[in-house]
C-alpha cells in the first residue's frame, strides 16, 4: 500500500459495507427507535438494540473485530459511520468490551464469552471510568480486597459505562494495591449476573444506553482475571491504543457524511440569484471541510497502519489521530449545519443527528486534553532519550 491510498479491494469492501448498512442495519435502528420513543414517554431510559448487534454478528462484522488489523477496523468503522452511526457504535462497543478478553483472557474465558460476543448475542462493556476517575484513569478507586484464598471482593462504583447496566459481561478495572497508582490496577471479567453487581441507566446525550455500576462485595477469583494482578492498567491502555485511531475513523465517517450532505445541498439550493455553491464564501468553506476531513482520514489510516506494523510510537500516533479527527468532525458537522440553515436543526435531519453524535467522541476513550498530554509526553520523552 502506498501512503495512503487504499487498494481497489479495500475500496470495494467499504462500498459493500455502506450498502449493507443502508439495507440491513438502518431499518433495525428505525424499528428500535419507535420502541425507544414509547419507553422514553413512559419515563424509561434507552435499551441496548440487541437485534442490531445480532445483525452485526450475522453479517460477520463482529468477527472482524477480532480477526482484522487496526486499519481494517478503521475502514469498517468509517464505512458504517457514514451510513448508520448506531451500527458503528454497537460494533465498537463489542470490540472495546471484548478486546481485553480476546487479548488477555484465559482459554476458558475466551471459549465461553467470545463466540456469543462475535454472534452479537452477548453484549460486552468496558468499565474503566468512575465518578472520581475519568481522565485520570490511574486514580480509579473500585476496591478489589482479598477474600481469603478464594480471590477478591469488588466494592465501589463505575460510571458512564456504555451498555451498562444491560451488558452481559464487563471488563472491570479495580484497585488491588492501594496507593500504587497505575501499578496497582487489575482487570477482571465480571459476568453481569454476579451477586452484588447492580446498575442504573443514565440519561445522556447518546443514542445508546450508558449507565452506572455498583459493586457490593462482588466475588471474583483468579479464573476471572484478565492478565496478571496489578497489570490491569496495561490491559486498559493497550485496548485504548487499538481503539483510539478507530474512534478517529468513526469521526471521519461522520465528517464525510456531513460533507456529502453539504455538497448536495449547496449545489442544489437557490439563493441570491444562483446556487449556494456559487457564493465563494460557501464554496471555500466546503473546500475547507473536505481538506480537513481528508487530513484527518490520512492521520487515522497512518496511526492504524503503524499499529498493524507494531511500530514503537503507536500511543502518540493513536492520540494524534483521535484528537485531530474528532475535533475536525466537530468543525465539519458544525459548518455543515451552518450551511444548511434551519432545516439542519429539525429533529430527524441527518445533521441534527450528527450534531448530537459528534460531541461525545471528543470526550470518551480519552478526552482531547488527554490525547494532547499523551502526544506531549511522547515528544518530550523522545527529546530526553
Ligand atoms: N500504552 C501502553 N502503556 C501505557 C500507555 C499506552 N498508551 N499509557 C501509559 N502506559 C503505561 C506506562 O508505560 C506506565 O507503565 P509502567 O508503570 O510499567 O511504567 C503506566 O501505564 C502508567 O503510565 P503513566 O504514568 O503515563 O500514566 P498516567 O497516570 O500519567 O495516565 C493517561 C496516563 C492520562 C494517558 C491515562 O490515564 C489515560 O489514558 N486516561 C484517559 C482514560 C480514558 O481514555 N478513559 C476513557 C475510558 S473508555 S470510554
Amino acid at each position: 500500500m502506498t501512503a495512503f491510498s487504499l487498494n481497489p479491494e479495500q475500496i470495494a469492501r467499504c462500498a459493500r459495507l455502506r450498502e449493507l448498512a443502508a439495507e440491513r442495519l438502518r431499518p433495525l435502528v428505525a424499528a428500535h427507535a419507535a420502541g425507544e420513543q414509547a419507553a422514553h414517554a413512559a419515563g424509561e431510559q434507552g435499551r441496548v438494540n440487541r437485534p442490531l448487534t445480532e445483525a452485526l454478528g450475522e453479517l460477520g462484522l463482529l468477527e472482524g473485530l477480532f480477526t482484522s488489523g487496526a486499519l481494517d477496523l478503521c475502514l469498517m468503522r468509517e464505512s458504517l459511520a457514514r451510513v448508520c452511526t448506531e451500527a458503528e457504535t454497537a460494533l465498537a462497543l463489542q470490540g472495546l468490551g471484548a478486546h481485553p478478553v480476546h487479548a488477555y483472557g484465559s482459554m476458558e474465558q475466551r471459549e465461553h464469552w467470545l463466540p456469543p460476543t462475535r454472534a452479537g448475542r452477548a453484549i460486552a462493556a468496558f468499565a474503566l471510568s468512575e465518578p472520581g476517575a475519568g481522565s485520570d484513569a490511574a486514580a480509579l478507586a473500585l476496591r478489589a480486597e482479598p477474600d481469603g484464598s478464594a480471590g477478591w471482593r469488588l466494592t465501589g462504583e463505575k460510571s458512564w459505562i456504555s451498555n451498562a447496566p444491560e451488558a452481559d459481561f464487563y471488563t472491570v478495572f479495580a484497585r488491588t494495591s492501594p496507593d500504587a497508582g497505575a501499578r496497582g490496577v487489575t482487570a477482571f471479567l465480571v459476568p453481569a449476573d454476579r451477586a452484588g453487581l447492580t446498575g442504573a441507566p443514565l440519561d445522556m446525550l447518546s443514542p445508546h444506553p450508558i449507565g452506572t455500576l455498583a459493586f457490593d462485595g462482588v466475588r471474583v477469583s483468579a479464573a476471572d482475571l484478565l492478565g496478571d494482578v496489578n497489570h490491569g492498567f496495561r490491559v486498559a491502555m493497550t485496548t485504548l491504543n487499538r481503539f483510539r485511531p478507530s474512534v478517529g475513523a468513526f469521526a471521519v465517517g461522520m465528517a464525510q457524511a456531513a460533507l456529502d450532505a453539504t455538497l448536495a445541498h449547496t449545489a442544489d439550493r437557490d439563493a441570491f440569484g444562483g446556487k449556494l455553491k456559487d457564493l465563494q464564501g460557501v464554496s471555500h468553506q466546503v473546500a475547507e471541510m473536505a481538506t480537513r476531513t481528508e487530513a484527518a482520514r490520512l492521520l487515522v489510516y497512518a496511526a492504524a497502519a503503524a499499529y498493524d506494523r507494531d511500530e514503537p510510537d503507536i500511543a502518540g500516533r493513536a492520540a494524534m489521530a483521535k484528537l485531530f479527527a474528532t475535533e475536525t468532525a466537530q468543525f465539519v458537522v458544525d459548518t455543515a449545519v451552518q450551511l444548511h440553515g434551519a432545516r439542519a436543526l429539525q429533529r430527524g435531519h441527518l445533521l441534527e443527528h450528527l450534531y448530537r453524535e459528534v460531541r461525545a467522541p471528543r470526550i470518551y476513550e480519552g478526552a482531547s486534553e488527554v490525547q494532547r498530554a499523551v502526544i506531549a509526553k511522547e515528544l518530550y520523552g523522545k527529546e530526553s532519550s
Side-chain angles (χ1 to χ4, degrees):
M1 186 175 54
T2 56
F4 251 113
S5 49
L6 300 178
N7 64 40
E9 196 272 323
Q10 287 169 316
I11 293 169
R13 200 149 26 94
C14 290
R16 258 198 322 274
L17 201 47
R18 292 200 300 274
E19 273 171 30
L20 270 181
E23 285 165 19
R24 293 282 308 276
L25 303 175
R26 245 189 344 218
L28 294 171
V29 172
H32 186 72
E36 288 294 276
Q37 266 179 6
H40 210 81
E44 294 165 14
Q45 303 302 334
R47 301 189 64 86
V48 170
N49 188 342
R50 286 183 181 260
L52 178 66
T53 311
E54 282 172 25
L56 288 167
E58 281 161 23
L59 294 173
L61 300 176
L62 298 177
E63 176 77 30
L65 283 170
F66 306 102
T67 53
S68 32
L71 179 58
D72 282 336
L73 174 64
C74 285
L75 296 182
M76 229 178 352
R77 292 191 67 174
E78 180 187 339
S79 305
L80 288 177
R82 277 178 72 170
V83 181
C84 183
T85 58
E86 295 88 346
E88 191 286 336
T89 301
L91 173 111
L93 294 177
Q94 287 294 88
L96 192 65
H99 178 77
V101 182
H102 172 70
Y104 296 93
S106 65
M107 188 68 87
E108 290 74 22
Q109 287 168 321
R110 291 161 54 94
E111 280 177 359
H112 185 81
W113 288 107
L114 294 181
T117 301
R118 280 196 291 264
R121 289 193 310 275
I123 299 292
F126 185 80
L128 177 64
S129 300
E130 298 182 2
S135 287
D136 187 4
L140 67 83
L142 180 81
R143 298 194 311 278
E145 290 166 319
D147 183 27
S149 57
W152 299 262
R153 276 178 180 267
L154 303 180
T155 306
E157 265 183 87
K158 293 286 176 188
S159 195
W160 310 295
I161 307 305
S162 289
N163 283 342
E166 289 180 55
D168 297 303
F169 69 97
Y170 298 91
T171 295
V172 176
F173 298 89
R175 177 152 303 288
T176 29
S177 295
D179 307 319
R183 294 187 175 181
V185 172
T186 301
F188 296 96
L189 191 166
V190 183
D193 58 3
R194 276 288 156 89
L197 174 58
T198 53
L202 291 168
D203 191 3
M204 306 280 292
L205 180 63
S206 156
H208 68 272
I210 300 180
T212 57
L213 294 172
F215 295 77
D216 183 11
V218 174
R219 282 203 156 105
V220 284
S221 72
D224 300 313
L225 284 170
L226 292 170
D228 296 329
V229 175
N230 289 333
H231 284 71
F233 200 69
R234 196 181 149 66
V235 175
M237 290 298 127
T238 52
T239 301
L240 292 170
N241 286 345
R242 176 168 163 81
F243 281 90
R244 277 176 181 159
S246 73
V247 178
F250 172 38
V252 168
M254 287 192 281
Q256 188 65 50
L259 176 62
D260 291 344
T262 305
L263 279 170
H265 176 69
T266 54
D268 183 57
R269 171 81 168 158
D270 293 312
F272 305 106
K275 298 295 180 189
L276 266 188
K277 73 176 172 55
D278 300 330
L279 300 172
Q280 196 180 56
V282 170
S283 63
H284 280 196
Q285 287 210 71
V286 175
E288 185 68 25
M289 291 160 74
T291 306
R292 291 202 206 180
T293 301
E294 184 63 7
R297 179 180 284 119
L298 294 179
L299 212 46
V300 165
Y301 290 177
Y307 183 96
D308 287 339
R309 288 194 300 264
D310 204 16
E311 289 184 4
D313 55 351
I314 52 171
R317 277 178 174 271
M320 283 184 187
K322 183 191 183 270
L323 169 66
F324 191 78
T326 57
E327 295 289 335
T328 294
Q330 180 84 52
F331 162 80
V332 171
V333 170
D334 186 61
T335 308
V337 168
Q338 195 67 19
L339 293 178
H340 276 74
R343 64 179 44 69
L345 296 180
Q346 201 167 335
R347 248 180 237 295
H349 192 281
L350 169 71
L351 288 168
E352 178 266 338
H353 171 73
L354 291 176
Y355 195 66
R356 284 185 282 113
E357 284 276 59
V358 81
R359 189 62 184 84
R362 289 170 59 212
I363 298 174
Y364 63 54
E365 290 185 45
S368 291
E369 293 71 14
V370 165
Q371 308 309 333
R372 290 191 185 96
V374 170
I375 296 162
K377 192 167 182 176
E378 205 166 278
L379 288 172
Y380 288 110
K382 265 183 201 157
E383 207 171 58
S384 61
S385 63

